[in-house]
Structures are given as structure tokens and as C-alpha cells.
Amino acid sequence: MTQPTWPEVLSAAVSGTDLTVSQAAWAMRQVMRGEATGAQLGGLLMALRAKGESVAEVIGFRDAILDAAVPLSVDPNVLDIVGTGGDRYGTVNISSTASIIVAATGIPVVKHGNRAVSSKAGASDVLSELGIDLRLSPEAVARVLDEAGITFAWAAAFHPGFKHAAPVRAELGVPTAFNFLGPLVNPARAEANAVGVASLDVVPIITGVFRTRGATALVFRGEDGLDELTTTGYSRIWQITNGDMHEFDIHPRDLGMPTATIDDLLGGSPAENAATLRRTLAGESGPVRDVVLLNAAAGIVAYRLSQDPAQADRNMIQRLVEARDAAAAAIDEGLATAKLDAWVAASGRAGQE
């Protein structure tokens, strides 16, 4: 089979023609190996941005990135709670806090994330502040999961090829396909996913990829633009299982929860957000607890769905209420704080081995 070429790939993209999966995968392999020039990558990213990225293109990119990733040898029967970023609000670390709470309910979690791009404190910034060692070997990352039931796969460590794209992305200064690839390339290849999406335009791409690969996912977006389930008003959920997709609109009052304002959810520096996270796990009440519980509930629902596809036939609000109550119990019984402490301890031991 004849290999694609950059003139062929760029000509197709510039003309508004969607790339095939194989063309997209070839191009991304070139990028991950450092064999694409800045002009080639920049031209491709902007051409795709102008015409709109297709599901096939993102599948090709995803496959090439995962093929080039540092392997993570864990059971894929785990959950990832992650957001695309890009909502520009700078909230507290909702998905990171929710991940710890979900793990405290007994669900194995492999969180995938990176340094902050659109906020003051990304997942890895805050986890590092909490004492989680980000620079563990893949074997150590897996051991931490075995010991603590939760671990963190730092994108920079597991996707070294990303460094070849970083200068071009910085020079372009506009959103590209890389902005929404993060939630799709967890090296654990998690079977259960709870994914927040900031841009409505990206939802068909994210859901399309999950539907094509037969994964289980809850994809969601707050109508306020948060890449989370929001407590400021309505959110939309897209449930994907066995290639099928169903949409739901939810409001905090549906779960008997109070509404909040965006200002109630804003965060600060990594140190400030880490302190907020600890207070929330310790049982502090208020808007942050509410939004974290709602997003933890989404993670629990996604994992339960991956274990039992028949859950898809049950009422979504009822499932979220049950999961929210389980998450609240994990906090109130001290399990969430204990889970964080166990994670920090396991990470510290792994880093010394």
C-alpha cells in the first residue's frame, strides 16, 4: 500500500476534504516521531481547524498517539474523569477532586491530565501540590493503582511525542485538534469514561470517537460553558454504550441540589486549589462540594454502566442521585481523605523504589 505524503494530505485538508483514518494516522505518526516540520504540522492543524475536524481524522490521530505512547500495563477496567479544558473560567479542580471521591467508593481510577493550559492550576499542578509524584515510571504508576486504587498518568510522561508539537501549538496560539485529544488518549485505555467538553462544536467528535471504539462514556457540558456538569443551571449529558447514544438534560434541582454562580466555583493558584480540595474531602459544605459530588456521580454512573450495560435502561436522574449519595457517603465517612492520604503515601513509596 502506498504511503501518504505531506503534499497529498495537506492538499486534501486545504480543499476541505476529510482525511481518511489512515491518512490522519500517518500524519500524526510523523508528528510523534519528530519527522514533521513545523510548517507541515502548522499547515495541517490550521487547514483542519478551518474545515472542521472529522471523527475519522481524530480516530486516526488518537490511534497514532496511543501507538506511540509509553505503555501502561494496567487492567483497562478502570475509570477516567477528565475535561477538555478551554472553558476559560479557572474553576477549582473539579474532576481531580471527583476522581479521588470516586476512588474512595471502590472504583479504580486512572486519571489522565497535564499542566494547566486554560486555567491557573491544571490537574497535575494541583496533584503535585498535594504530594503526588508525577515523574513515576510506568511500572510505578501501575503499582500505585494496585496499592491505592487510583493513579495519575501524566500526559507529558506517557506521550513524549507531544513535545514535537508544542512549539507549533504555542506559535499558532489558537485551539487545534490537540486541545480535545487529551481525553481520548489515556494510556490505560480506560473502559469507562466521564468526559467534560467545553465547546459544543467538539461534542460530536468526542462522542463519535467513543461510539466508534465501542467504549462506555458519559460526555457532558454545562450550558454555562463549563467542561463539567455544572450547578449553575442546566447541563447536557450524552451517554454512550455499545455504540448507542442517548441525550439527557439535567438541572441541579432534579437531584435536590442548590444552584450556584460561577463565582462560587472559581479557583486560584495550585496551592489554593489544593487546599480547597482537601477541605472538600474533609467535609466542608457549600457550592464546591455540590459541584464535585455531581461530577463524581457522573463518574460512578459511567463506571457502573461499563460493568452493567442494562443500567442504560434506568432513569438517568435516579442513577445520578444514587451515585451522588454514594459519593457523599465517601466524604462523610472519611473515606475520601483516607484515599488521598493512601495515594500520596503509595506515590511516595513508588518514587523511592
Side-chain angles (χ1 to χ4, degrees), residues 143-169:
R143 283 199 302 275
V144 171
L145 177 65
D146 289 339
E147 290 185 31
I150 183 170
T151 197
F152 184 74
W154 188 26
F158 282 90
H159 301 295
F162 277 5
K163 68 177 180 288
H164 301 302
V168 172
R169 295 181 62 195

Side-chain angles (χ1 to χ4, degrees), residues 33 37 42 121 147 163 206 209 216 220 225 264 348:
R33 294 171 183 164
T37 68
E147 290 185 31
K163 68 177 180 288
I206 300 290
V209 173
T216 299
F220 41 82
D264 293 328

